[in-house]
Amino acid sequence: MGVVDSDGRAGLAVALLVVCAALLSVPALLGVFVDATVHRRGSAWLPNVWAYVGVPLCGFAVAYVAALLWNSPRPSAPAAVAFLAVLWATAVVSLANRYRRLETS
């Protein structure tokens, strides 16, 4: 199940990708928050902050509760992965909506 190599390079690459995604999630969340809360003069784009910032936090909470219900030994691990996945999906949707909205105005 998965890629197996003799010296562990694939596992190291996956671990580095996860660490990079986790580290980049902080500026991504801050960027989405600032973009959703700061109104720029002359722009029609003013999204709902809870739609873009609250969704990843709710994704974390739902995954944490689900992991607790399934008796996970460390429920924060699946919750962190869910937070990262939902955050990046939300950031992509936010950028797409912002681009679409600014193109039409």
Side-chain angles (χ1 to χ4, degrees):
M1 174 122 152
V3 177
V4 178
D5 59 348
S6 60
D7 55 359
R9 284 184 286 163
L12 181 63
V14 169
L16 286 174
L17 286 173
V18 170
V19 168
C20 287
L23 291 175
L24 290 174
S25 69
V26 173
L29 184 64
L30 290 174
V32 170
F33 178 78
V34 168
D35 190 46
T37 57
V38 175
H39 183 66
R40 285 157 183 82
R41 194 175 295 167
S43 173
W45 172 250
L46 186 61
N48 183 353
V49 68
W50 292 111
Y52 292 110
V53 176
V55 171
L57 298 175
C58 289
F60 177 87
V62 168
Y64 189 86
V65 169
L68 280 176
L69 292 175
W70 284 326
N71 296 325
S72 174
R74 286 181 283 162
S76 60
V81 172
F83 172 78
L84 286 174
V86 174
L87 172 66
W88 287 106
T90 304
V92 168
V93 168
S94 171
L95 288 174
N97 285 338
R98 183 174 192 260
Y99 178 77
R100 184 184 56 175
R101 182 71 162 174
L102 292 178
E103 284 292 315
T104 59
S105 59

